[in-house]
Amino acid sequence: MGWAIALHGGAGDIPLSLPPERRLPREAGLRHCLDVGITALKAHKHPLDVVELVARELENHPHFNAGKGSVLTTAGTVEMEACIMDGKTKKCGAVSGLSTVVNAISLARLVMEKTPHIYLGFDGAEAFAREQGLETVDPSYFITPENIERLKQAQEADRVQIDYTQPVQKEVKNGAAVANGDSQIGTVGCVAVDVEGNLASATSTGGLVNKMVGRIGDTPIIGAGTYANHLCAVSATGRGEAIIRGTIARDVAAVIEFKGLSLVEAAAYVVDQVPPGNAGLVAVSSTGEVAMPFNTTGMFRACATEDGYSEIAIWDSPSK
């Protein structure tokens, strides 16, 4: 038994040739957020507080697809969503369709703690945020020049894009990847367990580039993009529709419980059931195990455990 934490900055078609100016800020962001989480766990903060804190840091980082830096809908607007869940009580909160709330994950927690409901969306969620005194800003705060360009590329290619999909040049066939193209930014998530085995999960996202207005992905759906119980906590990333069909976050817990697999075995098994190129996840168990499998080219990820192990990575290690 010991504390453990894992976080992700999105999975997708991340080229091995990703230039340093695109890679380094994201690696630095992961390192900073991991340090924030480790410090909180060492200070005996509850995992629910830890995952919210780390998710807020990730939301505030413009290089990830959540909060500031969220990707744009077909209409050029931002619609953010988030979810948080406590393993011991299975209490959870979720939000969708946010366009002014600075930290969607904190609104999700308020839905969990201050309402009789689990899920609020769009105008109702925005009104509740104002009622609770959460920080709100003009929607333009969230829209970055990079994401305006990414929307333009997606619309020219007539496609909806998963995190980190590489832009398509007009002169090549639709679907061809550009090796040195701008890396697309990704959904964020964090899972944590403390020394007493308490578990929590948090996920936050801007969704898919060029998504239809009103589209809801896996992030705020309990058991799909986010889940925690007495056995494990899971946060998923990738193509939401595939993750929802596979109920992958809940399946990890189910496979542990009903097949008797370890966390690492269960997480690998579940990701394997999703069509290639569509999903990744981070997970921790009540005993301090960590798993970070993905079936995309890469996944921005980081983890640490009480015994001193830590990792920050994007692609598979050469030894695998």
Side-chain angles (χ1 to χ4, degrees):
M1 290 282 285
W3 60 257
I5 183 171
L7 53 130
H8 68 76
D13 178 23
I14 308 170
L16 293 168
S17 57
L18 185 66
E21 66 270 19
R22 302 293 178 190
R23 175 175 54 83
L24 295 176
R26 294 180 175 102
E27 288 179 336
L30 289 175
R31 187 170 290 107
H32 165 72
C33 292
L34 184 63
D35 288 343
V36 166
I38 291 169
T39 300
L41 283 166
K42 284 181 174 177
H44 306 292
K45 299 279 188 189
H46 191 280
L48 202 59
D49 297 323
V50 175
V51 298
E52 180 189 5
L53 180 64
V54 172
R56 283 175 62 96
E57 290 291 320
L58 287 161
E59 286 174 338
N60 294 340
H61 197 294
H63 288 94
F64 295 115
N65 175 15
K68 185 173 180 64
S70 289
V71 298
L72 307 182
T73 69
T74 53
T77 56
V78 164
E79 289 183 355
M80 298 168 288
E81 44 196 20
C83 184
I84 193 166
M85 187 166 186
D86 176 61
K88 185 169 281 188
T89 64
K90 290 191 183 174
K91 287 185 177 177
C92 47
V95 289
S96 280
L98 304 182
S99 58
T100 70
V101 179
V102 173
N103 292 112
I105 197 64
S106 292
L107 183 59
R109 184 163 183 182
L110 286 172
V111 171
M112 178 181 82
E113 294 181 339
K114 304 285 190 183
T115 80
H117 309 304
I118 288 174
Y119 198 159
L120 290 181
F122 298 87
D123 292 349
E126 290 274 346
F128 180 63
R130 291 191 294 273
E131 191 183 292
Q132 293 295 312
L134 278 190
E135 185 181 2
T136 57
V137 292
D138 186 87
S140 62
Y141 163 86
F142 301 101
I143 299 173
T144 64
E146 291 83 359
N147 283 336
I148 293 171
E149 180 59 28
R150 292 173 59 204
L151 176 63
K152 182 166 172 271
Q153 290 168 351
Q155 289 178 333
E156 285 173 354
D158 191 25
R159 67 178 181 176
V160 174
Q161 293 182 345
I162 191 175
D163 293 340
Y164 303 100
T165 304
Q166 294 307 294
V168 173
Q169 294 177 334
K170 284 188 205 174
E171 61 270 22
V172 298
K173 286 182 183 176
N174 188 24
V178 179
N180 294 311
D182 183 16
S183 169
Q184 300 217 340
I185 53 185
T187 300
V188 305
C190 180
V191 292
V193 60
D194 65 13
V195 292
E196 295 173 0
N198 296 305
L199 291 145
S201 175
T203 316
S204 184
T205 189
L208 295 175
V209 183
N210 201 28
K211 65 180 181 180
M212 290 175 65
V213 172
R215 178 261 186 186
I216 292 169
D218 65 289
T219 292
I221 297 178
I222 301 299
T226 309
Y227 190 72
N229 67 2
H230 65 291
L231 295 170
C232 65
V234 183
S235 174
T237 172
R239 188 172 290 279
E241 286 72 13
I243 292 168
I244 292 168
R245 290 185 194 105
T247 59
I248 76 171
R250 168 60 186 146
D251 270 16
V252 173
V255 169
I256 292 172
E257 185 169 3
F258 303 122
K259 286 178 77 83
L261 299 187
S262 69
L263 177 79
V264 172
E265 291 168 333
Y269 171 81
V270 170
V271 169
D272 252 4
Q273 306 308 302
V274 181
N278 279 282
L281 63 84
V282 295
V284 293
S285 73
S286 61
T287 56
E289 294 174 282
V290 175
M292 302 190 293
F294 53 95
N295 68 11
T296 53
T297 307
M299 180 172 74
F300 283 97
R301 62 199 189 276
C303 71
T305 56
E306 190 172 15
D307 63 11
Y309 178 79
S310 69
E311 178 185 356
I312 296 171
I314 305 171
W315 302 281
D316 276 328
S317 64
S319 61
K320 287 185 181 176

